[in-house]
Amino acid sequence: MSNPQQLRYSKEHEWLSVAEDGVATVGITEHAANALGDVVFVQLPEAGDTLAAGETCGELESTKSVSDLYSPVTGEVTEVNEDVVQDPSLVNSAPFEGGWLFKVRFSEEPADLLSADEYTAFSAG
């Protein structure tokens, strides 16, 4: 499993991709998707919702369990991936591409996000 180097990762297994306009794309890692099993339902925040870093903002339901979704940053949701709502299996098949969950406008990246190498070490043990 290879975690893309350009992303930042939370210890709750979310990834964050930052664009130059201050809007980040958020998803769950391949490690988390594999641990969950086949995702069959997603509950995501709505556009306009204000999120706080580290707080629950949704839910992922799989054939194995239900898992809370945490926001890696504080900010306002600008977009939700409706493709994932319609086809939750995208979380498993393309966690870093089409399986992204939502976009959020934020002002400051938390200091506790991990690099790809740090996350790989963290998730391995």
Side-chain angles (χ1 to χ4, degrees):
M1 167 177 10
S2 178
N3 295 303
Q5 292 292 319
Q6 74 276 17
L7 302 178
R8 292 292 167 253
Y9 301 87
S10 74
K11 290 184 177 179
E12 288 78 27
H13 306 285
E14 283 83 25
W15 58 262
L16 178 81
S17 170
V18 181
E20 291 182 23
D21 61 359
V23 175
T25 302
V26 176
I28 67 164
T29 65
E30 185 175 7
H31 173 81
N34 289 339
L36 276 171
D38 295 333
V39 176
V40 295
F41 176 78
V42 296
Q43 176 192 357
L44 301 175
E46 296 182 17
D49 286 354
T50 301
L51 307 178
E55 291 190 1
T56 303
C57 64
E59 195 172 83
L60 301 170
E61 184 178 329
S62 73
T63 55
K64 290 182 181 178
S65 66
V66 175
S67 180
D68 286 334
L69 175 65
Y70 299 91
S71 178
V73 293
T74 297
E76 181 182 343
V77 176
T78 61
E79 184 180 349
V80 173
N81 187 349
E82 291 297 332
D83 291 341
V84 166
V85 173
Q86 298 301 316
D87 182 6
S89 70
L90 289 170
V91 171
N92 298 103
S93 64
F96 297 115
E97 295 90 24
W100 63 274
L101 301 175
F102 61 91
K103 294 185 180 188
V104 60
R105 182 177 310 283
F106 71 101
S107 57
E108 188 174 331
E109 183 177 309
D112 62 348
L113 292 179
L114 307 173
S115 69
D117 293 338
E118 291 168 333
Y119 178 75
T120 299
F122 169 77
S123 61

